[in-house]
Amino acid sequence: MIAEMQALLVSTYELGHQPFGLASPAAWLRREGVDVHCVDLAKQKLAEDTIRAADLIAFHLPMHTATRLAAPLIRKARDLNATARLCAYGLYAPLNKTWLESLGVTDVFGGEFEDALADVARQMMAGPSKSPKEGGGHGGIPRLQFLVPDRSGLPPLAEYAALHLGDGHRRIAGHTEASRGCRHLCRHCPVVPVYNGQFRIVQPAVVLEDIDRQVEGGAEHITFGDPDFFNGPTHAMRIVDELHRRHPSVTYDVTVKIEHLLGHRALLPRLRETGCLFVTSAVESLDDRVLAVLEKGHTRADFLEAVALCRGASVTLVPTFVAFHPWVTLADYCDLIDTLAALDLVDHVAPIQLAIRLLIPAGSRLLDVDEVKPFVGSFDPVTLTYRWTHPDPRVDALQHEVSSIVGRRLTSDRRELFDAIDALAHMRAELPRRAPSPGRSTAPVPYLDEPWYCCAEPNPEQLTLV
């Protein structure tokens, strides 16, 4: 039995946000009487003495980058503290369960991990009389009554990614979740192997109290980290209606599928009226054949319609892409560039989006697709992905060149970077560049700054262990 249990929760990367993935389980563990120490290695140093003192060490792995960055830290934790219970939780934990266990991790939790971590703590304090709950791996996802995240001990919001309005103004940004999982089964999405079409809401009172506390801490803008804000549109709109009533000057952003933007088009004016500055949408490709392989649920024509709808409702649409995949040609890539320019979306697209290469992690539904199998090699335990090679080596070469351009010029103006990529792509494809588009919009496009997001590969040197 552990009389006074100490837990260490570690985040390596959460897209520049103050880690919700630490604050939420911290509340659950502290309710059990556990002494919790949260460390965000994107902003803080981790002392070796802190590792040695912990009875339970848990690593949050919400995405691929975070998982790769965590590997040396997990090994270090096992070396420094052989008796600690090591846990890994988040979307990429169950996808890499075998690999994590080889590093010394004893417990792996996927979706709705808070109660599972609390159950581990209860078991440890009570003695080894029972096994902890599974906490949403590849099976059923539990329905939790969430607690308000406890952000004490984390760096202040002002130290994290901020909102830029494009006119020189900068706003402190907070981050929360109103829902988890997704009703959809897009083949390339890491949410799908864990949630398998299941969707869970966070109770509105919990979400709003979390927002209230962040506003008290200086937040002027809130990012909703839901995989898709319109999986439950009634739930979502209740929250933003109340957010606007309580804090009329606070703005926010959300992520919504193209399919849902079209299906719930009547809600777009309400998003604008309640303070939504922009909507991120994973468009991925403009090629209907590729969209069908990915099972995205929309077409090129749907994307064009969504652009017009959002523009008509004065809602800024921020599309994201997987620009390089096994089926793209040099001409296709130039078409993407030309279309963005013609639609006056250059300032809406972060330059890194034009360099992103399809990621195929363990557990991906892409591995079941006949159109994918000819390109995919064996699993690489270093990159934690299935390697693939494009049949046209010129495409792989272009992806490397575009990544280098973006990586060298992280602070450049988006239009300058776009023009450099535009010129390179058309030169490599031996295609003429389009004529300049007349009447480009000069309206500023809001965006969140996040320098790590522009790195082609995760850099462990960004993390500090002392």
Side-chain angles (χ1 to χ4, degrees):
M1 177 181 294
I2 301 175
E4 294 183 1
M5 181 176 173
Q6 295 190 45
L8 171 61
L9 302 181
V10 180
S11 171
T12 59
Y13 179 60
E14 206 159 319
L15 280 174
H17 304 299
Q18 189 188 63
F20 184 94
L22 298 191
S24 184
W28 287 70
L29 291 169
R30 285 169 179 150
R31 186 178 65 172
E32 299 297 326
V34 178
D35 180 11
V36 180
H37 192 86
C38 295
V39 176
D40 178 7
L41 285 169
K43 298 293 179 182
Q44 299 170 297
K45 297 179 179 180
L46 177 56
E48 292 187 354
D49 287 347
T50 302
I51 297 175
R52 293 190 181 97
D55 303 296
L56 170 65
I57 304 175
F59 296 87
H60 185 220
L61 309 179
M63 56 188 302
H64 181 258
T65 299
T67 307
R68 290 193 61 188
L69 287 170
L73 300 168
I74 294 171
R75 294 187 183 98
K76 187 72 172 180
R78 177 51 71 215
D79 290 342
L80 291 173
N81 190 339
T83 62
R85 184 90 164 250
L86 297 191
C87 300
Y89 64 98
L91 287 179
Y92 272 78
L95 299 185
N96 295 284
K97 184 175 186 293
T98 301
W99 174 77
L100 288 165
E101 290 174 342
S102 74
L103 301 180
V105 171
T106 54
D107 302 276
V108 175
F109 307 119
E112 317 311 90
F113 45 73
E114 287 88 348
D115 190 42
L117 285 170
D119 195 56
V120 168
R122 287 190 290 267
Q123 181 211 17
M124 292 176 67
M125 290 187 287
S129 58
K130 63 185 183 74
S131 299
K133 299 175 183 178
E134 292 189 2
H138 292 269
I141 303 295
R143 297 180 184 273
L144 302 182
Q145 179 63 47
F146 287 90
L147 301 179
V148 179
D150 186 343
R151 300 173 181 274
S152 57
L154 289 170
L157 292 175
E159 295 186 16
Y160 287 91
L163 174 77
H164 291 258
L165 297 177
D167 55 3
H169 289 85
R170 180 182 184 275
R171 290 186 182 180
I172 295 175
H175 176 267
T176 194
E177 294 179 359
S179 64
R180 288 179 175 169
C182 187
R183 298 184 187 278
H184 300 271
L185 300 172
C186 304
R187 286 193 175 274
H188 64 304
C189 179
V191 175
V192 174
V194 176
Y195 282 87
N196 195 29
Q198 297 174 88
F199 161 69
R200 297 290 182 263
I201 67 166
V202 181
Q203 290 74 28
V206 172
V207 180
L208 290 163
E209 176 64 23
D210 185 33
I211 292 172
D212 288 345
R213 293 182 184 183
Q214 292 184 75
V215 172
E216 289 176 7
E220 303 163 286
H221 178 89
I222 298 293
T223 291
F224 285 94
D226 309 42
D228 194 300
F229 200 60
F230 278 178
N231 268 315
T234 301
H235 167 70
M237 295 311 299
R238 282 175 182 159
I239 288 174
V240 295
D241 283 342
E242 180 62 16
L243 162 60
H244 187 62
R245 188 191 70 80
R246 295 186 186 189
H247 309 289
S249 65
V250 173
T251 55
Y252 67 91
D253 69 271
V254 298
T255 297
V256 181
K257 282 173 65 70
I258 294 294
E259 178 181 355
H260 285 168
L261 290 174
L262 300 183
H264 302 293
R265 64 186 68 199
L267 297 178
L268 295 182
R270 277 179 65 192
L271 288 180
R272 183 195 66 245
E273 292 160 6
T274 54
C276 182
L277 286 186
F278 61 92
V279 175
T280 301
S281 193
V283 178
E284 314 301 33
S285 175
L286 301 185
D287 186 330
D288 286 342
R289 299 167 303 162
V290 177
L291 292 170
V293 171
L294 300 180
E295 293 189 5
K296 281 299 299 177
H298 70 258
T299 64
R300 179 190 182 104
D302 292 334
F303 165 62
L304 298 178
E305 184 179 0
V307 171
L309 280 173
C310 289
R311 191 158 280 154
S314 298
V315 172
T316 298
L317 179 65
V318 176
T320 63
F321 298 94
V322 178
F324 291 92
H325 48 75
W327 310 280
V328 70
T329 66
L330 293 178
D332 292 336
Y333 187 81
C334 290
D335 175 65
L336 170 63
I337 297 289
D338 292 345
T339 303
L340 293 178
L343 294 173
D344 195 16
L345 291 176
V346 172
D347 289 323
H348 297 234
V349 178
I352 187 62
Q353 293 298 323
L354 303 177
I356 288 179
R357 181 181 172 89
L358 179 66
L359 191 74
I360 306 180
S364 173
R365 289 186 69 231
L366 283 171
L367 297 170
D368 301 327
V369 181
D370 289 338
E371 292 89 341
V372 175
K373 292 176 182 177
F375 306 102
V376 177
S378 59
F379 185 76
D380 183 350
V382 175
T383 64
L384 300 180
T385 62
Y386 284 89
R387 292 285 195 177
W388 62 268
T389 301
H390 197 282
D392 182 350
R394 297 177 302 164
V395 174
D396 283 340
L398 177 62
Q399 192 273 332
H400 180 75
E401 288 182 290
V402 173
S403 295
S404 297
I405 290 174
V406 175
R408 291 195 308 267
R409 301 168 62 177
L410 296 180
T411 59
S412 295
D413 176 80
R414 285 188 175 185
R415 287 187 182 271
E416 291 179 7
L417 268 176
F418 183 89
D419 286 343
I421 294 169
D422 181 357
L424 173 68
H426 284 81
M427 180 177 66
R428 293 289 181 257
E430 298 181 351
L431 292 172
R433 296 180 69 183
R434 73 196 181 284
S437 301
R440 282 181 167 180
S441 171
T442 58
V445 175
Y447 66 94
L448 290 163
D449 58 10
E450 189 358 65
W452 279 25
Y453 191 57
C454 295
C455 292
E457 294 288 342
N459 180 9
E461 294 181 1
Q462 296 274 12
L463 307 179
T464 306
L465 188 70
V466 297

